[in-house]
Amino acid sequence: GGKMRKNYVQYGFVVLSLFFSMNLVSAEISRIGKQVHSMYENFSKQIKDMTIVKETRIVAGEGKMSTETKIMQKGEKFRVENTMNMPQSSGMFGNMKTIIICDGKDTWMISPMMGKRKITGEEGEKYKRTEDWWKYISNNAKITGTEKVGTKNCYIIKKEDDKSTGFTKMWIDKKSLTLVKFEGSDNKGESMVGINSDFRKIKGNIEMPYKTETYINGKLFTVSEITSLTINKGLSDELFDADRVKTQGMNMQEMMKKAMEQGGK
């Protein structure tokens, strides 16, 4: 009957238009993905080395803890120095410094508690994942819409849950292709949202956020600010050699004794 045929034709149109729009979206993500990749890859080529120092304050909870992070990158090599300033009330005194070094092949973690040990590259990458966010946009990501975050009009990009970043959703500024907001869950499955602001041009058209706020389950948790950023200062290769780092093991007995004294008060 004619009615059946008409329905089929309409159905065919719907299927076709769905198919086209899906293909357009995946063409769009690969186009944006390619743009982002080529922009940051070119940027990487101009950058022989880069050093970023940032201060992160934990605003949630009792003890006001802060961390200073120094990220040094030179090609495939990187070194992250993380210094935690413990609040007096914790009974743990002074600073705990952890160093992650990747020599381009192997990755090491050097910490007062554990000494020096080899870790996987993925584990090491976690310490600088927000700097390298662009590497995680792949063709299996999808653009699910657009939204304004602060003053920036953004693409919303959804991606497969990726263990290496923990991001499942990113908001990318349409104009400058910078990461404005990201969402995911931490290893305990709690929802985490990060919002970047105070964007500054660091080279050519590449912008970088100097401020990041993270929210856990909707509550402001940390505020992180870049205190210095330098490019092409000729970082020495020795910085990326784990053998050159002296491990100062914390004496566990000393720590226990201190903790006991604290507890005894």
Side-chain angles (χ1 to χ4, degrees):
K3 194 163 178 244
M4 270 303 256
R5 216 175 79 226
K6 201 168 153 219
N7 281 355
Y8 272 124
V9 170
Q10 276 181 331
Y11 179 69
F13 269 123
V14 170
V15 170
L16 269 176
S17 59
L18 270 174
F19 176 75
F20 277 117
S21 61
M22 275 165 69
N23 268 356
L24 277 175
V25 167
S26 65
E28 185 79 340
I29 185 76
S30 71
R31 181 179 68 81
I32 290 160
K34 281 195 187 91
Q35 276 181 332
V36 169
H37 279 265
S38 73
M39 181 166 121
Y40 283 93
E41 273 159 14
N42 285 338
F43 171 66
S44 303
K45 285 192 188 102
Q46 298 166 39
I47 301 284
K48 303 281 176 280
D49 62 67
M50 176 153 80
T51 303
I52 297 172
V53 180
K54 51 181 171 183
E55 177 84 29
T56 303
R57 300 188 309 284
I58 295 181
V59 290
E62 299 295 298
K64 294 285 176 272
M65 213 164 77
S66 69
T67 307
E68 189 186 77
T69 308
K70 189 176 187 183
I71 301 168
M72 290 168 268
Q73 262 183 288
K74 186 178 185 179
E76 293 297 300
K77 302 176 180 186
F78 68 85
R79 174 180 179 133
V80 178
E81 295 179 4
N82 229 348
T83 308
M84 279 172 90
N85 305 312
M86 300 305 234
Q88 297 262 303
S89 58
S90 69
M92 309 258 289
F93 284 119
N95 301 337
M96 284 186 54
K97 187 174 183 177
T98 304
I99 299 174
I100 289 99
I101 289 183
C102 171
D103 58 14
K105 197 167 55 111
D106 296 323
T107 309
W108 300 86
M109 183 186 236
I110 302 145
S111 71
M113 295 293 208
M114 308 289 289
K116 193 184 292 189
R117 63 190 175 99
K118 210 169 178 179
I119 58 173
T120 66
E122 258 176 29
E123 208 182 325
E125 287 283 337
K126 279 183 186 163
Y127 289 87
K128 59 181 187 67
R129 62 187 175 195
T130 49
E131 271 69 35
D132 290 347
W133 62 270
W134 56 275
K135 289 179 181 169
Y136 303 108
I137 296 180
S138 57
N139 284 336
N140 66 8
K142 290 177 179 60
I143 296 172
T144 60
T146 57
E147 197 183 345
K148 199 166 185 180
V149 181
T151 57
K152 296 190 181 282
N153 292 312
C154 301
Y155 294 112
I156 305 172
I157 293 177
K158 250 191 155 147
K159 57 198 278 304
E160 306 298 311
D161 187 13
D162 179 343
K163 291 291 166 272
S164 58
T165 63
F167 303 162
T168 47
K169 225 168 158 187
M170 301 179 184
W171 283 254
I172 289 169
D173 179 24
K174 287 179 167 185
K175 209 170 77 195
S176 63
L177 299 178
T178 31
L179 181 67
V180 181
K181 183 176 167 182
F182 48 95
E183 194 178 278
S185 54
D186 64 8
N187 45 17
K188 296 199 272 306
E190 297 186 306
S191 86
M192 188 206 80
V193 172
I195 295 176
N196 289 332
S197 57
D198 187 11
F199 288 90
R200 304 183 198 177
K201 287 208 162 116
I202 57 167
K203 199 169 193 353
N205 281 326
I206 297 272
E207 284 188 357
M208 210 153 174
Y210 269 60
K211 185 176 183 180
T212 304
E213 291 162 306
T214 61
Y215 295 80
I216 304 255
N217 294 336
K219 270 207 178 93
L220 182 61
F221 185 66
T222 63
V223 178
S224 179
E225 290 177 272
I226 291 180
T227 54
S228 92
L229 189 153
T230 52
I231 289 172
N232 297 345
K233 288 286 180 224
L235 292 180
S236 152
D237 282 328
E238 291 181 6
L239 285 164
F240 309 98
D241 179 354
D243 290 338
R244 289 182 177 267
V245 181
K246 299 280 168 280
T247 44
Q248 303 131 340
M250 256 177 154
N251 187 329
M252 285 310 274
Q253 278 169 316
E254 276 292 299
M255 276 177 65
M256 292 297 283
K257 202 172 129 205
K258 270 187 181 165
M260 297 286 280
E261 283 166 10
Q262 277 284 311
K265 278 181 188 165

